Amino acid sequence: MKQLFRKLTLLVMTCGFIASAQATTPEEDLAAFQNFFKKRFPNVETQDYINGAYSIDPVGRENWEAIEEFPPYEPFIDEGQAMWETPFANGKTYKDCFPDGPALAGKYPHWDKDKGMVMTLPLALNNCRKANGEKPMKYKKGPINSILSYLSYESRGQVTNVVVPSDDPKALQAYEDGKKFYYTRRGQLNFSCAHCHLQNAGMILRTEILSPALGHTTHFPVYRSKWGTVGTLHRRFTGCNKQVRAKPFKAHGEEYRNLEYFLTYMSNGLPLNGPGARK
Amino acid sequence: MHKRKVLKFSLLAGILCSSMTTLALADEVSTAKVQKLIDAADAARKQAAEVGGEWRDTGKMIKKAKGLLKKGDFVAAAKLANKAAKQGHLGYEQAMSQKELKLPSYLHYE
Amino acid sequence: MIGNTKKWIGKVGMIGVIAGQVLVSPTLLAGDADVAEGKKIAFDRKKGNCLACHNISGAPSPGNIAPALIAMKSRYPTKEALTEQIWDATIKNPESSMPPFGKHGILSESDFKKVVEYVWTL
C-alpha cells in the first residue's frame, strides 16, 4: 500500500514536471513557428513570406505587383527624407540621435537594458524628438509614417535579427509576455492573433485570404488601400484587436511593444522590405 | 363665485403639485437604481481591463447608458448597463481562464 | 338530402380548417418565420456572419475556414447538440476558431434561437 502511494506521488510529480517543462525557449519557438509554415505551404520559400498574403495567393499577387510598379508609398518616402534632413528648432537633426544613418530599421525592436523595456523604432524616434525639445509624433497616423517609410526604404535588405539577451531575465519575460499575448483569445469574438494568422493562415474569410504570421513585421509601415494612406504596425495591431471586438491597447505601450518583440522575433532570418503596399 | 374659482384652482394646483412630487420622487428612486447598475457595469469593465480582457464596446455601452439615464430613459439605460456588466464579467473570465499560456497543438516542437 | 350532406361536409371541412389553423398552422407558421428570420441573421455580416467561414449551399462568397453547413441532422444527433456548438464551440474543441455566439452574447437570445432553427434545417 505504501509502495503504491509512493508510486502515485512519483507519478503526480512527473506530471507536474512535464507540465512545467512546457516552457519553450525563443529558439524552439522560432523553429516550431517557421516549420509550421513549411509544412502548411511546402512550395513557398521561407524568404517569400515577406510578401504577406501574396506569398500564397497567386491571383492577388499579380494585382499587387502591378501596384508596386507605381508604389503608392513613394511620396511618403520623399517626405520622410525631408523630415530626416530638416533641422529641429535647436538646429540638430535626427542624424545627431542616429549617427549611423537612416538604414537602422534592422536594429529594432531590441531590448533596452537600461530602460528595462523593448525599444521600438517609433519610440526611439520620439525619444530623439523629446530630447531636442520637439513634440512627439502620434504613433498610428500622420507624419510618423513618412519618416518610417523613409527609414524602412533605406533599410531594405537588412535581415530581421531580434535578440533576446540571456543576461537579463526581464528581456525573456518581455518576450514571453509578447508570446502570451499572441496566443491569448481576446474580445467578444474570442480570437487570438494565432487563430487567424497561424491556425487559419491561407484560408478564406469571406473574400479575403488570411495572411500568414511569418513575415508580418518585415514590410511595415504599409500603404493600405483600405486606409488610403500609410500606417504603422501598431495601427494594424489596433485594427486587429478591434476586429475581434477587444479594446485595443495603447500604441507602443507595454503590451504592443512586447507583442512586436515576439512577432518580429518569429520572422528572424527574413529580409526587411518596407514600406509595403497592401489591399 | 370668485372665491369658489380660487378654491377650485388651488385644489387643482395642489393635486398637480403633489402628483408631480411623487413623480419626481419616483424619478429619483429610478435614477439611483440605474446609477447603481451603471456603477456595477463600470466596476466589471475595470476588473476586465486590469487583466487585459476588456472588450471593445463595453465602455461605449456604459457611456450610452449614462446618456439615457440623463434623458430619463430608465428602462433602456438599465438594460444597457446590465449588458455592459455582463461583457465585463465575460471579458474577465475569458482572461482568467487563459492565465497559463497554452501553446497550440498544431505547433510541433522537436 | 344532397344539399344537407353538402352542408354537412362543408361544416366538417370548415371545422377541419379552423382546427387546422388552431392546432397546426400557427406553430408551423411561427417555425417557418423563425427559420426565415434565422437565415437573415445568419447571413447578416454584423450578426451571425456564418458565411465569413462556412459555405451554405447557394450563398454568395462564403469563406472556407470551417466545414460547409450541410446535413446538419446527420452531423448532430439532436438540436440540443447543435445549439451547444453554436453557443460555445470551445466546449467540444478548446482550439476551435468559432466565436461563442451564445455565451458571449454576440447574438441576442431570440436571434440565437432563430439561427439555431435555421441551421438545423440545412
Side-chain angles (χ1 to χ4, degrees), chain A residues 185 188 191 200 203-204 206, chain C residues 49 52 64 94-97 104:
Chain A
R185 290 180 184 271
Q188 192 182 31
F191 291 119
N200 291 305
M203 303 298 268
I204 296 168
R206 274 278 180 177
Chain C
N49 201 13
N64 66 0
E95 288 187 345
S96 174
S97 308
H104 278 192

Side-chain angles (χ1 to χ4, degrees), chain A:
Chain A
M1 191 61 196
K2 236 184 182 177
Q3 229 185 349
L4 182 74
F5 181 71
R6 244 189 234 156
K7 266 186 187 165
L8 271 173
T9 335
L10 199 72
L11 195 74
V12 169
M13 276 168 70
T14 331
C15 288
F17 177 71
I18 289 170
S20 64
Q22 221 203 4
T24 51
T25 66
E27 293 80 9
E28 287 168 338
D29 293 337
L30 182 69
F33 202 88
Q34 297 199 354
N35 281 334
F36 171 82
F37 284 102
K38 272 182 197 147
K39 264 185 205 151
R40 170 158 284 203
F41 305 106
N43 299 322
V44 177
E45 294 288 332
T46 300
Q47 302 278 307
D48 203 39
Y49 283 102
I50 61 173
N51 299 317
Y54 308 123
S55 61
I56 52 173
D57 171 19
V59 179
R61 188 167 187 134
E62 265 180 47
N63 290 324
W64 171 65
E65 279 171 350
I67 288 171
E68 280 282 352
E69 283 186 31
F70 301 98
Y73 47 75
E74 229 168 39
F76 295 86
I77 297 174
D78 297 340
E79 264 175 45
Q81 184 171 7
M83 284 170 78
W84 176 263
E85 285 162 2
T86 308
F88 300 129
N90 66 1
K92 292 193 172 179
T93 65
Y94 283 105
K95 260 189 200 161
D96 292 293
C97 302
F98 307 99
D100 294 340
L104 45 70
K107 291 182 196 156
Y108 296 89
H110 65 247
W111 180 251
D112 187 324
K113 203 178 173 184
D114 294 336
K115 291 194 170 73
M117 62 186 272
V118 171
M119 184 52 62
T120 63
L121 179 52
L123 266 182
L125 289 171
N126 268 345
N127 284 346
C128 172
R129 292 179 68 86
K130 281 188 229 163
N132 286 292
E134 297 284 324
K135 261 190 167 174
M137 297 174 284
K138 285 186 177 171
Y139 283 120
K140 289 185 283 193
K141 299 176 183 178
I144 201 165
N145 287 290
S146 300
I147 192 153
L148 286 174
S149 293
Y150 172 62
L151 300 177
S152 301
Y153 186 70
E154 291 293 316
S155 312
R156 276 190 179 181
Q158 292 181 351
V159 175
T160 309
N161 183 27
V162 178
V163 178
V164 181
S166 50
D167 64 343
D168 190 349
K170 279 167 79 186
L172 184 63
Q173 192 53 54
Y175 168 89
E176 286 294 332
D177 288 349
K179 178 164 94 178
K180 170 87 194 307
F181 189 105
Y182 199 80
Y183 293 110
T184 298
R185 290 180 184 271
R186 235 168 264 285
Q188 192 182 31
L189 298 188
N190 211 32
F191 291 119
S192 71
C193 307
H195 278 111
C196 289
H197 300 291
L198 207 58
Q199 190 170 356
N200 291 305
M203 303 298 268
I204 296 168
L205 182 71
R206 274 278 180 177
T207 51
E208 303 298 323
I209 289 191
L210 289 169
S211 61
L214 184 53
H216 258 170
T217 52
T218 65
H219 48 269
F220 274 87
V222 113
Y223 183 96
R224 241 182 134 207
S225 308
K226 197 183 154 191
W227 292 337
T229 187
V230 176
T232 60
L233 179 64
H234 287 225
R235 181 176 176 189
R236 193 69 191 90
F237 286 166
T238 304
C240 273
N241 276 164
K242 278 187 191 163
Q243 272 179 309
V244 304
R245 300 185 191 170
K247 192 182 176 203
F249 294 85
K250 235 178 108 189
H252 296 276
E254 194 180 9
E255 291 88 355
Y256 282 173
R257 283 197 314 260
N258 293 343
L259 175 63
E260 180 179 338
Y261 195 41
F262 165 76
L263 190 59
T264 314
Y265 189 99
M266 288 301 105
S267 286
N268 267 358
L270 267 59
L272 298 183
N273 60 335
R278 294 290 182 272
K279 255 210 273 190

Side-chain angles (χ1 to χ4, degrees), chain B residues 77-90:
Chain B
K79 215 174 150 189
L80 210 56
N82 284 335
K83 215 172 157 185
K86 193 183 157 199
Q87 286 211 344
H89 296 312
L90 284 165

Side-chain angles (χ1 to χ4, degrees), chain C:
Chain C
M1 185 65 195
I2 291 170
N4 265 350
T5 317
K6 257 191 181 167
K7 259 189 193 166
W8 189 73
I9 291 173
K11 267 184 189 165
V12 170
M14 280 287 279
I15 291 164
V17 168
I18 291 163
Q21 268 176 358
V22 171
L23 295 175
V24 188
S25 46
T27 49
L28 252 186
L29 274 173
D32 285 349
D34 277 358
V35 168
E37 271 185 61
K39 182 176 177 174
K40 263 193 210 155
I41 298 158
F43 279 42
D44 188 327
R45 278 169 195 250
K46 288 196 172 138
K47 289 186 172 174
N49 201 13
C50 304
L51 294 168
C53 299
H54 298 274
N55 195 350
I56 295 174
S57 173
S61 54
N64 66 0
I65 291 166
L69 298 181
I70 196 166
M72 300 314 289
K73 288 189 182 86
S74 66
R75 284 164 57 196
Y76 291 88
T78 58
K79 205 195 271 182
E80 285 66 41
L82 176 68
T83 306
E84 185 194 272
Q85 183 68 8
I86 303 175
W87 179 265
D88 178 11
T90 66
I91 296 172
K92 239 176 152 180
N93 170 16
E95 288 187 345
S96 174
S97 308
M98 181 160 161
F101 285 91
K103 186 187 172 195
H104 278 192
I106 300 165
L107 293 173
S108 72
E109 243 172 80
S110 78
D111 281 0
F112 176 81
K113 277 182 196 152
K114 287 169 191 164
V115 166
V116 172
E117 288 303 325
Y118 166 62
V119 175
W120 187 239
T121 66
L122 296 173

